[in-house]
Amino acid sequence: MTKAERTRHFIVEKAAPIINRKGMAGTSINDIVEATSLTKGSVYGNFESKDEICLEAFDYLVKRVGADMSQAMSRGTTSREKLDALFSYYISNVTGENNYGCPIMNFGTEADDTNPAVKVKVNKAIVNTQSVFAKIIRAGIESGEFKKTVDADAFAIKAFAMIEGGMWIARLQGSPKQLLLIIDVLKQEINDYCQ
Amino acid sequence: MTKAERTRHFIVEKAAPIINRKGMAGTSINDIVEATSLTKGSVYGNFESKDEICLEAFDYLVKRVGADMSQAMSRGTTSREKLDALFSYYISNVTGENNYGCPIMNFGTEADDTNPAVKVKVNKAIVNTQSVFAKIIRAGIESGEFKKTVDADAFAIKAFAMIEGGMWIARLQGSPKQLLLIIDVLKQEINDYCQ
DNA sequence: ACTAAAATATACCGATCGGTATAAAATAAA
DNA sequence: TTTATTTTATACCGATCGGTATATTTTAGT
């Protein structure tokens, strides 16, 4: 890893949480300069534009969320336990201190009408996340844990929308109350899936 | 209504869809000047700051959405029909041409970490919208249309999260497919509420 | 240690940002 | 219609925006 590669990564690491919090338009190069204690020349020596930083910041955040989700899932053995672990991760993601919301939600809402490149990345992240849910359900069906009649894709779409909506509300209200209710509903539904 | 009041309203009317689409940070005063064909001096003769315009724009958008929801609901007689009409409104909101997403979602996501005043307004809008759902359910229970065991508040929270999540996904994907699935799930659930 | 190459810092660019002082024009009360 | 008041347009403010040319420093291969 060359110096430049390390610096690039360092800049992304510092910039990502700021962009996730303040938005792409709301974050200035100066914000990034201050956060990294570098200079503008140094930042632009490693990146071509602010847009490139935003794109890599989104990739970085999504990768980190994905890693956290995998780690959470690995704590469960059965499909149901894996789903429970995922739910717990989402809840901790809202109740934890240094968290600024789901990057897929934050970048997606801003990029929707303004940044096609980011929009494409967000769409891929949505599909990936939903397929994580669907794969767990399918594994549970194959192992005999869940009924064969369960629609894995439909559950994934529904659960993802509910959780994203619930996290968004929880962050805005400064309370996990509604997210907890939504997670309870999902757990009850998974309970009904069991045979 | 004085000239100033009319102009204020005119500015908000023109600025609101732009801010809803590009975000508060992403919209410049010049954008508003161009959209209104007024001058900067005229805009600042009627508003103290860009922030004030954003706040009024949000109020305007929420009021309009509320009116559209009321109009949709009035097309139904039973509680179930009213809910169906609401769902249809949300779907048309996504499939329609000149639409740029739910203002509660757009303003909420941006304001969450950057604009406390807007955040307060967004929270009130969330509570109001959820109470619309809850009230319909409660009316249905009182009229004997729905079972007494139905939890109106829980349904409102769940349905709102699902719909907001579903609309967000639909706009990002450029397809109402997942929202339609989510609405179907809700309709099925309401069907189960009937006795 | 020497040196070519890579990375960083300084200083600056024009454009645009939100906002304002002031003059010109339009409104509204008399 | 006159006149005081309100509203609008012009021209400008300093600050900050994203971005760059260039000089200086640091890195890394020999």
Side-chain angles (χ1 to χ4, degrees), chain B residues 26-125:
Chain B
T27 301
S28 69
I29 297 294
N30 221 24
D31 290 333
I32 296 168
V33 165
E34 281 178 19
T36 54
S37 299
L38 293 173
T39 57
K40 197 179 274 194
S42 178
V43 171
Y44 275 99
N46 289 282
F47 288 93
E48 278 207 346
S49 65
K50 176 182 162 181
D51 223 68
E52 193 187 345
I53 300 175
C54 290
L55 283 166
E56 292 218 9
F58 179 71
D59 283 339
Y60 167 78
L61 291 168
V62 167
K63 206 170 283 180
R64 244 188 31 176
V65 169
D68 289 348
M69 286 173 65
S70 293
Q71 202 207 336
M73 279 167 55
S74 71
R75 286 202 304 268
T77 46
T78 66
S79 293
R80 190 180 177 171
E81 282 170 358
K82 283 184 192 296
L83 288 170
D84 277 359
L86 269 184
F87 295 157
S88 296
Y89 161 71
Y90 281 119
I91 291 169
S92 74
N93 214 350
V94 161
T95 50
E97 300 238 336
N98 292 321
N99 178 267
Y100 297 106
C102 175
I104 306 181
M105 170 67 74
N106 291 338
F107 281 73
T109 308
E110 182 177 3
D112 190 12
D113 298 299
T114 57
N115 195 323
V118 171
K119 191 174 173 178
V120 167
K121 280 182 181 290
V122 169
N123 267 307
K124 285 179 184 167

Side-chain angles (χ1 to χ4, degrees), chain A residues 14-33:
Chain A
K14 294 289 184 185
I18 301 172
I19 300 172
N20 193 38
R21 191 172 77 236
K22 300 175 67 173
M24 296 180 285
T27 302
S28 70
I29 298 293
N30 220 26
D31 289 333
I32 296 168
V33 165

Side-chain angles (χ1 to χ4, degrees), chain A residues 6 27-30 40 44 49-50:
Chain A
R6 267 182 287 138
T27 302
S28 70
I29 298 293
N30 220 26
K40 197 178 273 195
Y44 274 98
S49 64
K50 176 184 163 183

Side-chain angles (χ1 to χ4, degrees), chain A residues 18 23 28 38 171 184 186:
Chain A
I18 301 172
S28 70
L38 293 173
R171 283 196 42 71
D184 273 346
L186 285 171

